[in-house]
Amino acid sequence: MEERKILYSAIQPTNNLTIGNYIGPIRNWIALQNDYNCFFAVANMHAITLRQVPAELRQKTLEVLALYIACGVDPEKCVMYVQSHVPAHAELCWVLNTFTYVGEMERMTQFKDKSLRHAENINMGLMDYPVLMAADILLYQTDVVPVGLDQRQHVEIARDIAQRFNNAFTPTFKVPEALYAKVGAKINDLLDPAKKMSKSAENPNGSIFLSDDKDTIIRKCKRAVTDSDAEIKFDPEKKAGVSNLLSIYSAFTGKTIAAAEADFAGKGYGEFKLAVGEAVADKLAPIQTEQARLLADKTYLEGVLRSGAERAARAANKTLSKVYKKIGFYQL
Ligand code: TRP
């Protein structure tokens, strides 16, 4: 049998995940978990590059894991673990730092962006974020990294660093490829549909969180920005708000955009928005119930994390040991 390819991804346990995180990455993972050997991390080491409330970070770590499982990521098939449980991430990051130039980190879009938004705390970790992410990916000899467009530059840098190291020594790292979802339902902010729906948006009414209850979801959909021409048609340029709601509806019902348009032909925005809200809420309800059930079973979740950390560490340490050997670290 042909060896399965390796897929790696992670989500930071910060803020509340939105329906964008579900429709984008997580749902995609579930589709891919049968075809790849998957590693899914909870990236708590990345999370502390911005200030976190410790108790919340701890709680969100479990919430993200429970969410992965509730959404259908299978702990029998996939390795799920917490980044800080595998010390090799920090260790490889240090080595890769010496193969990364300050100038290229200063030019990273997300670093520049976050530096503007968090001018009071431009710490070294924030700047080093892409190198830690490269370490995550390269430790597992990853073939593919399913990411959204905002992470494209980070995967590019991981490739550059891998190639640089491989060229300086002998091939050590697999050079990973970014994998973009084919059905790229891009979900935008409800109040500012030119922007991606974000878990850290200033106005929480623009985002639907995976933890929102039905009333909240419907209220947010009802307040979503549309336009004044009362036509339910997909046209992201001229009708960004309506198109975004159609994308959400289509993603949550599995219908095509054309079928979604047909569902609402001749109907008003009020009815449309209510239907979008209901579609989202109905789909999320069983996931939320399952997540809550899992969160009440800490023993089970910790068992998943223990076995995940063990399996991840085994794979990661193999790569780290090769790296140490090549760079001349004396090993016992
Ligand atoms: N930076 C990613 C994000 O915020 C999370 C992440 C950390 C990640 N390490 C990764 C994603 C490795 C893919 C691969 O979305």
Side-chain angles (χ1 to χ4, degrees):
M1 204 178 90
E2 202 195 330
E3 268 289 297
R4 281 197 190 174
K5 291 195 166 179
I6 295 171
L7 180 150
Y8 189 95
S9 198
I11 292 182
Q12 296 186 65
T14 53
N15 307 106
N16 287 316
L17 297 181
T18 71
I19 55 169
N21 297 104
Y22 171 66
I23 289 307
I26 303 180
R27 218 174 47 160
N28 203 15
W29 297 358
I30 292 149
L32 296 166
Q33 65 181 342
N34 295 318
D35 301 330
Y36 292 87
N37 275 338
C38 296
F39 291 88
F40 298 126
V42 182
N44 60 345
M45 293 166 66
H46 279 101
I48 61 165
T49 58
L50 301 178
R51 286 288 167 258
Q52 305 298 331
V53 178
E56 282 177 15
L57 179 60
R58 204 162 11 243
Q59 174 61 19
K60 290 234 152 71
T61 300
L62 277 191
E63 284 178 11
V64 170
L65 172 74
L67 185 74
Y68 288 176
I69 303 173
C71 288
V73 180
D74 183 347
E76 301 294 319
K77 291 184 190 149
C78 306
V79 178
M80 286 181 268
Y81 70 101
V82 175
Q83 190 181 26
S84 67
H85 292 171
V86 180
H89 289 256
E91 294 174 287
L92 182 62
C93 180
W94 179 252
V95 176
L96 297 183
N97 275 333
T98 67
F99 290 85
T100 308
Y101 300 103
V102 171
E104 60 188 344
M105 291 300 99
E106 283 170 337
R107 286 193 298 274
M108 295 297 284
T109 312
Q110 200 169 73
F111 172 67
K112 288 194 284 188
D113 193 47
K114 286 185 179 169
S115 300
L116 286 176
R117 281 190 287 136
H118 304 276
E120 76 298 343
N121 181 21
I122 307 175
N123 62 72
M124 289 300 295
L126 194 62
M127 192 164 159
D128 208 25
Y129 186 110
V131 184
L132 179 59
M133 190 162 151
D136 296 347
I137 298 168
L138 300 180
L139 272 177
Y140 298 91
Q141 303 295 340
T142 299
D143 293 283
V144 297
V145 187
V147 283
L149 282 179
D150 63 321
Q151 297 295 320
R152 176 181 252 173
Q153 204 181 27
H154 288 154
V155 177
E156 234 8 85
I157 274 288
R159 291 169 54 86
D160 290 347
I161 296 173
Q163 274 157 346
R164 213 171 276 163
F165 191 97
N166 288 347
N167 290 338
F169 303 99
T170 47
T172 308
F173 297 119
K174 176 84 62 65
V175 180
E177 305 272 346
L179 185 72
Y180 304 106
K182 280 193 202 79
V183 276
K186 198 167 145 263
I187 298 205
N188 289 331
D189 192 277
L190 298 176
L191 299 177
D192 183 0
K195 280 201 321 226
K196 185 180 150 186
M197 186 180 285
S198 159
K199 53 182 179 158
S200 52
E202 264 159 56
N203 189 337
N205 288 319
S207 304
I208 301 176
F209 299 110
L210 292 178
S211 53
D212 283 346
D213 62 21
K214 187 163 187 169
D215 288 348
T216 308
I217 295 172
I218 288 175
R219 179 173 50 77
K220 287 179 176 178
C221 286
K222 282 193 172 160
R223 283 200 200 157
V225 167
T226 46
D227 49 53
S228 53
D229 49 49
E231 193 188 1
I232 298 167
K233 204 178 80 183
F234 191 77
D235 181 347
E237 301 231 316
K238 296 203 194 85
K239 297 171 69 70
V242 168
S243 304
N244 187 38
L245 290 169
L246 278 169
S247 296
I248 294 173
Y249 183 80
S250 134
F252 276 86
T253 55
K255 294 184 184 182
T256 62
I257 294 286
E261 283 175 333
D263 278 359
F264 300 109
K267 296 200 172 137
Y269 283 175
E271 195 177 337
F272 170 49
K273 288 174 167 179
L274 179 65
V276 175
E278 281 180 336
V280 173
D282 291 348
K283 181 91 189 185
L284 291 188
I287 295 174
Q288 292 168 337
T289 309
E290 179 61 3
Q291 188 194 20
R293 189 189 69 77
L294 289 162
L295 281 169
D297 191 352
K298 220 164 144 186
T299 313
Y300 170 74
L301 291 178
E302 288 189 353
V304 171
L305 289 183
R306 271 208 188 85
S307 117
E310 250 169 55
R311 289 154 77 193
R314 207 173 312 130
N317 288 335
K318 236 193 240 173
T319 301
L320 186 67
S321 163
K322 269 192 213 161
V323 167
Y324 279 0
K325 190 163 160 203
K326 298 213 179 171
I327 57 176
F329 279 4
Y330 194 100
Q331 294 185 86
L332 295 174

